[in-house]
Amino acid sequence: MDLVDDTFVACDPAVVARLVAEPGRWQRWWPGLRLTTTRDRGLKGRQWAVQGALVGTAEIWLEPWWDGVLVHFYLRGESREHDRARQAWAQEWKRHVHALKDELESGRAPGGLSVADPGRSPDE
């Protein structure tokens, strides 16, 4: 199975990279999978080995774009759950990446510039 997705998030790429690096998010994003980091790419994202309901690899590649970042997601592997179709994995990922987008773009006017890092004060 190969799953590929791209989502634009109007937020500082460093903020997205910091959140992508949080193991607690991985558990929420991919329940039933155990991820082991194989490559920490810092501001460019992260790569994992995947075990559990799916065996393979995953990657989030962060590409700075305009005033935000393109979140490229790749999931490759063999599914151990025959009843969980590729589309179900894709829908689950979209639900989580859109929740991240909503969290990071909170307070941004539609079509407006990205908001400041919610984890920093304006003076930093």
Side-chain angles (χ1 to χ4, degrees):
M1 175 183 76
D2 288 325
L3 178 61
V4 178
D5 181 70
D6 303 303
T7 302
F8 176 76
V9 178
C11 185
D12 181 343
V15 174
V16 179
R18 186 175 68 232
L19 297 177
V20 164
E22 293 177 0
R25 288 186 186 263
W26 313 342
Q27 294 168 352
R28 287 192 309 275
W29 291 345
W30 302 295
L33 300 182
R34 291 179 311 284
L35 279 72
T36 304
T37 299
T38 56
R39 189 169 177 210
D40 179 350
R41 300 184 67 217
L43 295 178
K44 293 183 179 183
R46 188 167 289 259
Q47 296 173 337
W48 298 274
V50 178
Q51 297 291 318
L54 183 104
V55 176
T57 61
E59 177 178 0
I60 292 179
W61 168 42
L62 303 173
E63 178 184 11
W65 187 259
W66 292 90
D67 70 330
V69 61
L70 284 171
V71 178
H72 302 283
F73 173 65
Y74 306 94
L75 180 64
R76 299 170 203 94
E78 296 295 322
S79 176
R80 290 186 178 175
E81 293 181 3
H82 300 291
D83 59 338
R84 183 160 186 166
R86 179 185 176 280
Q87 185 162 348
W89 284 102
Q91 289 173 340
E92 186 73 10
W93 166 248
K94 278 309 240 190
R95 185 173 68 82
H96 292 296
V97 76
H98 283 175
L100 178 67
K101 180 177 176 63
D102 291 345
E103 174 186 342
L104 294 173
E105 293 182 359
S106 175
R108 174 181 170 262
L113 294 176
S114 64
V115 295
D117 179 345
R120 291 191 309 211
S121 69
D123 299 329
E124 288 186 56

